[in-house]
Amino acid sequence: MRDTYHEDLDSLSERLVEMTRLARHAVARATTALLDSDLNAAQEVISGDEAINQLDQEIEDTAFSLMARQQPVASDLRTIITSLYMRGDLERMGDHAVHLAKIARRRHPDSAIPKPVRSIVLEMGHQAELLVTKAGEVITERDADTALELDKDDDRMDRLRRKLLQRILAPGWEYGVEATMDVTLVGRFYERFGDHAVHVADNLVYMVTGEKSEDYEPEA
């Protein structure tokens, strides 16, 4: 029974890491869909969200089963509770990738991203991939110190969003209301994707140390 218990505990982290992998693929393909007006990429993201949702449900089922059958305490209970929080953030990251893909699909065969802001959107896509990749790494390694770095990594995403908004609000922007709304939403979805990666990292810190991220001091 105890072997099965620990296998189930380990499976929570394994599924979380798989969710980060799927979320990374989704946001990468969504970026391609936006910039290249790639309808196939957009459809791939939208249909692929089911796999993320399935993992989300599996983690919830396993966590509740462990709590009901095993009555875990201390660090094991912390692992289960934080896994529930993290899977929720990762599921929403997949949703944000879907929102991006749906914008691309709606504007097909045209691109939703006007030329003056294409490089910014490309950078935001790359930053989103970096953040979710790093989230997967800190879950795998249970590395609280590296997890703290995600907040600073996310600052770059915030700066890119501000740059995007400045560009569409600047004199000379001539791409109309629909394009302005699309670009504004794109910036918001990338930003929220990054915010959820930070939430994952914060929960990892609590899982490993029992301290909130703002209270945890890395070893010198």
Side-chain angles (χ1 to χ4, degrees):
M1 285 293 291
R2 298 304 294 177
D3 286 345
T4 301
Y5 170 66
H6 288 293
E7 287 174 4
D8 286 346
L9 270 180
D10 290 342
S11 77
L12 294 175
S13 293
E14 291 167 2
R15 289 188 176 108
L16 288 169
V17 171
E18 178 64 7
M19 287 182 81
T20 67
R21 187 189 69 79
L22 292 175
R24 179 185 182 276
H25 180 74
V27 79
R29 295 297 284 161
T31 303
T32 296
L34 284 168
L35 295 175
D36 296 347
S37 191
D38 188 329
L39 186 59
N40 289 332
Q43 288 296 145
E44 181 183 338
V45 175
I46 294 164
S47 61
D49 192 50
E50 179 58 33
I52 296 178
N53 293 340
Q54 179 63 37
L55 285 166
D56 173 62
Q57 188 62 56
E58 289 175 8
I59 291 170
E60 181 180 292
D61 292 345
T62 299
F64 287 158
S65 175
L66 285 168
M67 288 190 286
R69 291 186 294 105
Q70 303 292 342
Q71 298 180 333
V73 295
S75 63
D76 287 351
L77 182 59
R78 204 164 62 232
T79 295
I80 293 167
I81 297 300
T82 52
S83 294
L84 285 170
Y85 283 122
M86 287 191 279
R87 59 96 195 176
D89 280 304
L90 290 164
E91 190 274 334
R92 286 187 284 276
M93 290 165 79
D95 288 345
H96 291 311
V98 169
H99 294 328
L100 293 168
K102 285 183 176 179
I103 291 173
R105 185 177 66 176
R106 187 165 63 244
R107 299 302 172 211
H108 182 80
D110 298 322
S111 173
I113 309 300
K115 186 175 180 180
V117 294
R118 290 175 66 82
S119 63
I120 302 173
V121 170
L122 179 61
E123 284 187 73
M124 295 185 85
H126 288 164
Q127 191 66 14
E129 290 185 61
L130 181 151
L131 284 161
V132 70
T133 299
K134 203 164 188 176
E137 290 170 355
V138 300
I139 294 170
T140 300
E141 303 296 331
R142 297 175 69 89
D143 186 345
D145 292 353
T146 301
L148 292 178
E149 297 174 5
L150 266 82
D151 194 38
K152 291 183 178 178
D153 293 334
D154 188 49
D155 288 344
R156 175 167 173 74
M157 183 71 86
D158 295 337
R159 289 194 298 270
L160 287 167
R161 183 175 182 239
R162 288 195 295 270
K163 184 177 179 181
L164 191 67
L165 292 176
Q166 288 168 358
R167 190 67 58 85
I168 65 177
L169 293 172
W173 178 261
E174 54 185 24
Y175 293 91
V177 174
E178 284 189 347
T180 301
M181 292 297 296
D182 285 344
V183 173
T184 301
L185 288 171
V186 163
R188 178 61 172 161
F189 293 141
Y190 279 121
E191 181 196 39
R192 291 301 295 148
F193 187 99
D195 289 343
H196 286 299
V198 173
H199 294 166
V200 169
D202 288 344
N203 277 295
L204 187 281
V205 172
Y206 182 70
M207 176 193 286
V208 172
T209 70
E211 298 180 48
K212 293 183 178 180
S213 58
E214 59 265 28
D215 298 327
Y216 173 65
E217 292 290 338
E219 294 182 6

